[in-house]
Amino acid sequence: MHGLCCALPLMLLLSVSPGNSSTVNPCCYFPCQHKGVCVQVGTEGYECDCTRTGYFGTNCTLPEFWTRLHEALRPTPAFYHFILTHFQWFWTIINNTFIRDVLMRLVLTIRANLIPSPPIYNSAYGYITWEAYANVSYFTRVLPPVPRDCPTPMGMKGPSQLPDAQLVAEELLQRKTFQPDPQGTNLMFAFFAQHFTHQFFKTSGRMGHGFTRALGHGVDLGHIYGDNLERQHELRLFQDGKLKYQMVKGEMYPPTVLDAPIHMIYPKHIPPEEQLATGQEVFGLLPGLMLYATIWLREHNRVCDLLKREHPAWDDEQLFQTTRLILIGETIKIVIEDYVQHLSGYYLQLKFDPELLFGVQFQYRNRIAVEFNQLYHWHPLMPDSFKIQNQEYSYNQFVYNTTMLTDYGVEDLVEAFSKQQAGQIGGKPNMPRQLLNVAVGVIEESRLLRLQPFNEYRKRFGMKPYTSFQELTGAEETAAKVEALYGDIDAVEFYPGLLVEKNQPNAIFGESMVEIGAPFSLKGLLGNPICSPEYWKPSTFGGAAGFEVVNTASLQKLVCLNVKRCPYVAFRVPDGQEGGGAAPSSGSSGEKEPSDEL
């Protein structure tokens, strides 16, 4: 059903416009609820398109019968978070029954359906266009931008000029003392997050903030193989499907730029023989990123050997292409069953099984959204100094330390990062001082892209908007600071809102980060082509042996099958183990994409 055009009261339209010179675009009020689309009609009217929202009325606020029933039965995010993170004995039983598959299918479909597919908006248009669908150079977006002609940057609420981004970051986000994550998240998790997301968060600085250089828009392992064919060819050995490598102390590491002449971002003082070459040009920044690049390089070449034994007649190209598909499958398996499992804190055992979705309507294509890119800036994970064995490294000693990986070796770095605690992402000011400039860049980018207020995103993802600063933060001092900066709860910006929101009990961040981030994540993972009925079969992965590699993948296997000594490896520190350590910066090179840093 559709809402009919209506005129807002003339008094409201006139008195708040800039300079009192003209009427206000009524869509600045965000009047259309429950995913209704606001269309300005004339100069003073608007229409809410309520088609297939489950609501009707002028502002899409009147529920249809089935919607009313669904809403009455739908548990709140806080309720199901509590259920999923308590009663371990109950979930131990559920995890060994068919109910686990039923619940996993429900989780996947509900989450994925929150992401529009095909995409609706991009950064250039606040309405549906062919460009939003066809031009993959753009990041997509879930909500249209705030109209340009609104009285305030947040529509109708808040100050006519937003507070300085640097001030917002210093007042609300900057760490005073390191706050460890209560879930025991470690640096192995932190570096995995950064390494993994750098394949699809690649803002194109030359084209603008709304554009991406990662045209695959998902898990394509461009950070391993490069994001274009020329880079891929320079990294390939063209023998038995393998990637180029070098041997140091009898161990395999990425080649140098002398052997793989590709563009990598390193300071000028680092000689070429110490510059390792990887699919992602920024991975020389941190030893933790180069650690994962090394592990995946070894895994690629190991799987090539396995396929060569199974298929001695295959040529180099088929070995390479099939190995890439296997590693994509391994990545998705590890992300869902190790990474997301840890992040959620759920006792329900998550499962990577594409066949769970074969009987439901699902689109196997993904587009990376601006909001997902903004949300995933998890810099508070980084501690104040990095501890490896008995040595503590400051920020200056750690960044662009190109020989740390080969000096310590994979095993020692994995163990050190697995045993050092990462920071809590939200709920408390925990942004390292060295990374504050990246947070400032995120806030400034959101303003250039005119992201809607934090509360509008809560409503879009099925949550109730906050009605007070105290309700948002759960802390009087923080609430006072946020109110002093924004004046109105409906004017709080998207990224600051995510980080100041009170955390869920014993969780790394708040409700909104989960409810907004999870749909993007699961849609991106299960929307991968390898999860489709056409791809998800043993022959795609070289037969039963390759399919087995995908279906049995785990973080521990990934590491331990590629080292001589299996170290302690996990995404959480051992019980009783704590640590602290230095935050890497966004880097000094102008070529880097600081807005996409961890």
Side-chain angles (χ1 to χ4, degrees):
M1 298 184 182
H2 297 79
L4 299 176
C5 174
C6 80
L8 289 174
L10 188 61
M11 181 173 64
L12 290 175
L13 287 170
L14 292 174
S15 61
V16 289
S17 59
N20 294 322
S21 59
S22 64
T23 59
V24 173
N25 179 349
C27 292
C28 293
Y29 289 88
F30 307 118
C32 305
Q33 305 301 302
H34 304 108
K35 303 182 187 178
V37 179
C38 182
V39 180
Q40 186 175 7
V41 179
T43 58
E44 300 181 7
Y46 71 97
E47 179 179 277
C48 288
D49 185 347
C50 308
T51 305
R52 287 183 292 277
T53 63
Y55 291 82
F56 63 97
T58 300
N59 293 334
C60 309
T61 54
L62 303 175
E64 298 170 0
F65 173 76
W66 291 112
T67 302
R68 188 185 301 275
L69 183 62
H70 175 266
E71 289 300 312
L73 297 175
R74 184 168 69 99
T76 65
F79 176 79
Y80 62 70
H81 178 82
F82 177 83
I83 296 297
L84 288 166
T85 56
H86 291 76
F87 316 111
Q88 184 175 8
W89 62 269
F90 171 77
W91 291 109
T92 300
I93 297 171
I94 293 296
N95 289 331
N96 290 286
T97 70
F98 74 94
I99 301 175
R100 177 194 177 197
D101 285 358
V102 173
L103 292 175
M104 192 68 204
R105 182 184 296 111
L106 189 64
V107 168
L108 293 173
T109 52
I110 290 175
R111 295 293 198 192
N113 286 339
L114 287 168
I115 304 301
S117 185
I120 301 174
Y121 307 109
N122 64 20
S123 298
Y125 303 97
Y127 47 88
I128 290 180
T129 63
W130 183 252
E131 283 285 303
Y133 167 76
N135 191 342
V136 296
S137 297
Y138 282 103
F139 284 112
T140 185
R141 59 193 300 164
V142 172
L143 287 180
V146 175
R148 292 185 181 276
D149 54 352
C150 292
T152 76
M154 292 289 102
M156 296 297 300
K157 303 292 184 67
S160 58
Q161 183 173 345
L162 287 169
D164 180 69
Q166 181 75 33
L167 178 64
V168 172
E170 290 175 355
E171 286 290 306
L172 303 182
L173 309 181
Q174 183 170 323
R175 174 182 299 162
K176 298 174 179 61
T177 57
F178 175 72
Q179 301 291 334
D181 170 42
Q183 289 181 211
T185 301
N186 59 25
L187 294 192
M188 198 67 181
F189 177 94
F191 289 128
F192 186 95
Q194 189 173 20
H195 177 269
F196 169 71
T197 58
H198 267 51
Q199 66 189 299
F200 46 76
F201 291 152
K202 300 183 72 174
T203 301
S204 176
R206 293 179 181 178
M207 296 180 68
H209 288 282
F211 294 88
T212 176
R213 293 179 292 118
L215 303 184
H217 282 270
V219 183
D220 61 2
L221 304 195
H223 59 322
I224 299 173
Y225 303 109
D227 58 7
N228 60 75
L229 197 59
E230 181 182 3
R231 190 176 186 92
Q232 179 197 115
H233 284 181
E234 291 292 350
L235 290 168
R236 286 176 61 176
L237 189 61
F238 287 104
Q239 181 178 342
D240 296 334
K242 294 185 176 182
L243 296 172
K244 291 178 180 177
Y245 61 92
Q246 63 169 319
M247 300 299 291
V248 179
K249 303 175 185 176
E251 302 277 3
M252 183 184 296
Y253 292 94
T256 69
V257 293
L258 297 175
D259 294 323
I262 57 176
H263 172 61
M264 292 292 294
I265 297 175
Y266 288 97
K268 293 180 179 179
H269 69 271
I270 296 178
E273 59 269 19
E274 294 181 4
Q275 297 183 22
L276 301 185
T278 67
Q280 231 292 1
E281 63 267 26
V282 305
F283 278 179
L285 174 69
L286 300 170
L289 298 178
M290 197 58 73
L291 169 68
Y292 274 110
T294 300
I295 293 170
W296 282 113
L297 165 68
R298 294 181 183 182
E299 177 67 359
H300 176 96
N301 288 350
R302 185 189 75 83
V303 172
C304 283
D305 286 337
L306 183 153
L307 290 178
K308 181 71 173 179
R309 290 192 299 270
E310 292 285 320
H311 308 284
W314 279 12
D315 62 10
D316 168 76
E317 189 67 19
Q318 190 166 5
L319 289 169
F320 171 81
Q321 296 294 349
T322 305
T323 297
R324 181 173 185 166
L325 291 173
I326 290 173
L327 263 65
I328 289 173
E330 286 187 81
T331 297
I332 297 174
K333 173 88 167 178
I334 291 169
V335 169
I336 290 177
E337 295 192 5
D338 286 327
Y339 178 87
V340 177
Q341 182 75 63
H342 166 74
L343 198 62
S344 69
Y346 294 166
Y347 287 130
L348 170 66
Q349 190 175 340
L350 303 183
K351 183 179 184 181
F352 172 51
D353 182 1
E355 294 185 18
L356 292 173
L357 294 176
F358 285 1
V360 301
Q361 183 179 0
F362 194 78
Q363 295 195 27
Y364 293 95
R365 187 183 183 190
N366 186 57
R367 290 284 294 278
I368 298 298
V370 162
E371 294 96 341
F372 192 36
N373 190 0
Q374 284 259 320
L375 172 149
Y376 228 118
H377 284 77
W378 291 352
H379 304 83
L381 284 169
M382 291 292 105
D384 292 326
S385 62
F386 294 92
K387 296 178 180 178
I388 303 172
Q389 294 183 350
N390 296 320
Q391 182 71 36
E392 186 167 353
Y393 292 88
S394 69
Y395 155 75
N396 288 330
Q397 294 170 317
F398 193 75
V399 171
Y400 289 117
N401 189 330
T402 59
T403 60
M404 178 178 283
L405 176 63
T406 52
D407 287 346
Y408 281 104
V410 169
E411 294 96 324
D412 286 346
L413 284 190
V414 165
E415 194 153 67
F417 295 151
S418 294
K419 290 183 176 179
Q420 183 168 355
Q421 194 155 1
Q424 180 174 306
I425 294 173
K428 296 180 180 178
N430 206 23
M431 187 78 66
R433 175 184 53 81
Q434 296 92 335
L435 286 174
L436 202 65
N437 64 316
V438 184
V440 172
V442 175
I443 296 170
E444 291 176 341
E445 178 184 75
S446 74
R447 295 174 181 183
L448 287 171
L449 298 175
R450 308 198 315 282
L451 260 65
Q452 290 192 25
F454 178 60
N455 259 345
E456 293 302 315
Y457 280 99
R458 281 186 58 83
K459 290 190 287 185
R460 171 59 179 76
F461 284 87
M463 295 171 282
K464 292 182 178 179
Y466 287 117
T467 57
S468 71
F469 295 99
Q470 177 68 31
E471 185 187 15
L472 166 65
T473 66
E476 290 184 8
E477 182 180 353
T478 306
K481 289 182 178 180
V482 181
E483 183 172 13
L485 290 167
Y486 291 105
D488 192 300
I489 189 65
D490 289 325
V492 175
E493 295 175 274
F494 180 63
Y495 184 64
L498 288 167
L499 292 195
V500 302
E501 182 182 35
K502 60 184 180 296
N503 277 20
Q504 293 178 309
N506 297 316
I508 195 168
F509 36 50
E511 176 182 89
S512 300
M513 189 78 80
V514 176
E515 297 301 311
I516 299 174
F520 285 120
S521 178
L522 293 175
K523 176 63 173 72
L525 294 168
L526 274 298
N528 194 283
I530 72 158
C531 299
S532 67
E534 289 76 15
Y535 279 60
W536 188 252
K537 57 188 72 172
S539 56
T540 300
F541 306 97
F547 207 29
E548 178 74 4
V549 172
V550 174
N551 283 313
T552 61
S554 69
L555 176 69
Q556 185 174 45
K557 287 186 68 174
L558 174 66
V559 172
C560 292
L561 288 175
N562 291 291
V563 293
K564 295 177 180 178
R565 172 184 64 85
C566 186
Y568 172 74
V569 53
F571 283 144
R572 64 176 299 149
V573 296
D575 291 340
Q577 180 75 42
E578 295 181 356
S585 114
S586 61
S588 56
S589 171
E591 299 175 273
K592 232 175 136 294
E593 303 292 351
S595 67
D596 292 335
E597 276 304 292
L598 171 68

